[in-house]
Amino acid sequence: MASNLTSSCAGSDGEHMTTTDQQGGLKPGAVSVVGVTVQSVGLIGPAIGALMTTPFIVGIAGTSGAFAFLIGFLLMLLAAIPLGQLAREIPSAGGYYTYISRTLSARLGFLVSWLWLFYTPVAPAFNLAVLGYLLDNTLKAHFGFGFPWWLGIIVGAIFLLFMGWRGVELSAKALMILAGAEITIMVTLAIWGLIVPGGGGFSLAPLAPTHAPSANALLLGIIFSIFAITGWEGAAPAAEETIDPRRNIPRALVASVVVTGMFFVFVTWGLQVGWGIDDTAGFGSSAESPALVLAQRFWGPAWVIVLFALINSVLAVAVAANNVSTRMWYAMARSGSLPQFFAKLHQTYRTPTHAVALQAVLVLVVGTGVGVLIGPDNEFFFFGLALTVVMVFVYSLGNIGVIRFFWRRPDRKILTHVILPVVSTIALLAVGYYSLVPLPAKPIGWAPVAVAIWAVVGVGILVVMRLLKREDWLKRAGASMAELEPDDAEDHVGPTTDPAK
C-alpha cells in the first residue's frame, strides 16, 4: 500500500513499528465485503433506532410512520449511490476527509474532519451514556435494582480499547454477532406483531402516505427518518483493510442502506400493527418504548431479550464508530493534519494503537462529562441534533464533490453523478432546516450553537496556519492518504475493478 510516512514512529520497546516499514500501513485484506457492510449496519444501530427513534417518527407521521421510513430510506439511497462511485475512485482510510480534500479542497477536508468530532468519534460516548440511563431505569422498574449510567461508559471504553487494539478482523466478527442478534430479535418481534395484531387488526395502513395527520407532518417524519439511517458511510474508512476495496466499498455503502432501510420499514410496520393502529397516538407517546411493551405482552418474562437487543445495538454502534474514528485519526496523522504520533501501528495487529487510545479517552471524557452537565438522556438527543447539523454539511459537500470530480470526465453519468447528488442535497437542506426551525428547548437546543462555535474554532485554526505560512500539511492532505492502486488487492482475493467502469 502507498501509505508510507517520511518519518519514523517506532517505539523503543519494539512493540510498534513505523509506517515506513515494508509492510507499511493498515492490514490489507483483513475484512470481506460482508464484514465491512456489517460495520456500516452496526454504526447505524438498527435496534436502538427501532426502540428510540421509531416512536418519535410515529408520533410525528402518525399511522403512516412506516411509509415515512420508506421514503427516508430511498432518499439515503440517493446519497449512497454517488458516494459509492467516489469511493471506487478514491479508496482511503480517510473516508469523507479524503473525498472532500481531493474533490473540493484540503481546507474543507480539514473542516469536515474537525466537525466530524460531533459525529462518529463521540457516537460511542452518547450511546453508552443513554444505554446506562435506560438500563438503570428499566432494571429499577422491573427488578428493583439500578445500574449507574457512568459505569456503562467506563466498561464500554475498556471494551472498545481492547477491540480497537486487536484489529478490524476481531471487530468484524463481533459486529456480525452483535448486529445479527439485534436484527433477528427485532424482526422476530415485528413478525409477532403482524401475526398477533392489536386494535384495528392486520393492516397495510402504516405503509401508505394517506394516514398521516397532515402533509407537513408526513414531511417531518420523512426528514427525521433519514437520520435513523445515518451511519451507512461507515464502510468507507475501512477501504485500506478491505478485500478488493474498489469493488467492495461501493457495494457495502449501498447494501448497508438497503439492509437497514428495509429493516426500519418492516419493523416499524410490525410494531405499529402489533401495538394497534387504532391507538397510534399511544404508540408515539408511550412512556416506555413500544417495543419493550410489546415484548412483555407477547413473550412474558422473555421480554428481556429485547433489552439484550438494545445492549447489542449500542455495543455494535460503539465498535463500528470506534473503527471509523480511529482510521480517521490515523489518516489525518499520516497526512500531517495530526501529530504523526497517532499514525503508529502495532507490529502484529497493524492497528493504530495511539489513535485507539485517543478514541478511548475521548469516549470517557465526553460520555461522563456531558452526561454530568446535562444528563445522559439529554446527552443522546443533544448529540443527535448536533449530528443532524453536521451531516447535512458533510453529506452535501460529498455530493458536491461527486459532481465536481466526475463533471469533465468522459465516463460521467448524468443520473448517478449529477441528478442523484442534486436531489440528495436538496433533501438534506430540508432536513437541516426542519431540524432547527423551531429550535428544540435547552439543553438540547444548545447543540447547533456548540457546532457553530466548534466550526468557528476550526476556521480560526485554518486562518492562523495560513498567516503563519504553515499550510504544507494541507497540501499533503489530499495527496498522501494512501489511496489504493487497483492492484492493491492482488494478494487477497477477487479481481481488480477498473475505476472507470
Side-chain angles (χ1 to χ4, degrees):
M1 295 172 67
S3 60
N4 297 334
L5 290 174
T6 58
S7 64
S8 172
C9 299
S12 59
D13 59 0
E15 179 186 5
H16 295 80
M17 67 194 334
T18 72
T19 50
T20 56
D21 186 271
Q22 66 267 22
Q23 300 179 33
L26 299 168
K27 186 175 182 179
V31 188
S32 68
V33 64
V34 175
V36 75
T37 300
V38 172
Q39 175 164 300
S40 284
V41 171
L43 186 57
I44 293 169
I48 195 170
L51 284 159
M52 298 192 66
T53 308
T54 292
F56 179 70
I57 300 299
V58 173
I60 295 173
T63 305
S64 297
F67 178 81
F69 270 110
L70 175 62
I71 301 303
F73 151 48
L74 295 176
L75 289 175
M76 277 292 91
L77 195 59
L78 295 183
I81 293 174
L83 189 72
Q85 298 294 306
L86 202 57
R88 186 192 304 276
E89 301 290 332
I90 318 174
S92 168
Y96 267 102
Y97 170 54
T98 305
Y99 303 151
I100 303 304
S101 294
R102 286 299 307 275
T103 61
L104 298 178
S105 78
R107 293 185 181 87
L108 280 176
F110 169 79
L111 195 57
V112 161
S113 62
W114 182 258
L115 289 174
W116 205 270
L117 282 169
F118 277 95
Y119 179 26
T120 310
V122 299
F126 65 78
N127 275 283
L128 288 169
V130 78
L131 173 62
Y133 170 80
L134 291 174
L135 280 177
D136 187 38
N137 289 339
T138 303
L139 292 175
K140 285 178 179 177
H142 293 277
F143 302 104
F145 63 89
F147 179 87
W149 63 268
W150 49 265
L151 183 59
I153 297 174
I154 294 174
V155 174
I158 295 172
F159 173 71
L160 292 177
L161 184 63
F162 170 75
M163 297 298 292
W165 195 277
R166 283 298 307 273
V168 293
E169 293 160 295
L170 182 61
S171 295
K173 293 176 182 177
L175 282 169
M176 287 183 189
I177 295 172
L178 295 171
E182 66 175 284
I183 289 175
T184 300
I185 292 169
M186 296 309 301
V187 168
T188 301
L189 183 61
I191 293 173
W192 217 288
L194 294 174
I195 296 174
V196 188
F202 179 84
S203 175
L204 296 175
L207 298 171
T210 54
H211 302 283
S214 66
N216 186 60
L218 180 60
L219 174 62
L220 288 175
I222 292 171
I223 286 171
F224 288 110
S225 71
I226 287 176
F227 281 92
I229 309 175
T230 298
W232 52 266
E233 72 287 342
E240 297 176 35
E241 297 162 282
T242 301
I243 298 170
D244 197 359
R246 291 182 181 272
R247 181 178 62 175
N248 288 331
I249 293 299
R251 289 179 174 180
L253 292 171
V254 174
S256 62
V257 174
V258 172
V259 169
T260 53
M262 294 177 65
F263 169 88
F264 279 118
V265 172
F266 180 79
V267 169
T268 301
W269 174 40
L271 294 181
Q272 285 187 264
V273 172
W275 182 274
I277 60 171
D278 289 346
D279 186 28
T280 295
F283 186 101
S285 61
S286 176
E288 189 173 13
S289 172
L292 290 174
V293 174
L294 288 175
Q296 293 169 41
R297 181 192 306 173
F298 295 150
W299 300 338
W303 70 270
V304 293
I305 294 175
V306 175
L307 191 61
F308 174 73
L310 172 64
I311 297 172
N312 262 14
S313 187
V314 171
L315 290 179
V317 169
V319 171
N322 197 59
N323 288 343
V324 173
S325 300
T326 53
R327 272 55 185 175
M328 183 184 72
W329 302 135
Y330 167 77
M332 293 178 69
R334 185 175 55 194
S335 71
S337 299
L338 286 178
Q340 293 195 0
F341 174 82
F342 295 110
K344 183 175 287 188
L345 297 176
H346 192 280
Q347 184 173 12
T348 302
Y349 303 124
R350 311 303 302 166
T351 53
T353 50
H354 288 178
V356 168
L358 170 65
Q359 179 63 24
V361 171
L362 184 66
V363 168
L364 283 171
V365 172
V366 173
T368 56
V370 178
V372 168
L373 287 175
I374 64 175
D377 53 337
N378 286 327
E379 181 177 357
F380 181 85
F381 292 106
F382 174 89
F383 280 109
L385 181 57
L387 156 65
T388 300
V389 175
V390 169
M391 294 317 297
V392 165
F393 177 72
V394 173
Y395 284 170
S396 296
L397 282 181
N399 286 332
I400 295 171
V402 169
I403 295 172
R404 183 174 182 184
F405 185 86
F406 288 100
W407 185 254
R408 296 184 182 279
R409 289 173 54 121
D411 58 337
R412 182 192 67 193
K413 301 173 183 177
I414 294 298
L415 176 62
T416 306
H417 301 147
V418 180
I419 295 178
L420 294 187
V422 168
V423 173
S424 173
T425 301
I426 293 173
L428 288 167
L429 292 176
V431 169
Y433 176 81
Y434 284 105
S435 297
L436 301 177
V437 181
L439 197 65
K442 299 176 181 178
I444 299 171
W446 291 336
V449 178
V451 172
I453 292 174
W454 191 251
V456 170
V457 173
V459 172
I461 291 174
L462 291 174
V463 171
V464 170
M465 289 295 181
R466 181 177 179 84
L467 292 176
L468 295 177
K469 301 185 183 301
R470 298 180 61 182
E471 292 187 296
D472 289 345
W473 60 274
L474 280 174
K475 296 176 183 178
R476 295 193 301 270
S480 62
M481 285 185 281
E483 295 146 22
L484 303 176
E485 296 300 329
D487 293 335
D488 260 53
E490 63 186 2
D491 55 345
H492 324 152
V493 297
T496 300
T497 304
D498 184 348
K501 291 183 181 179

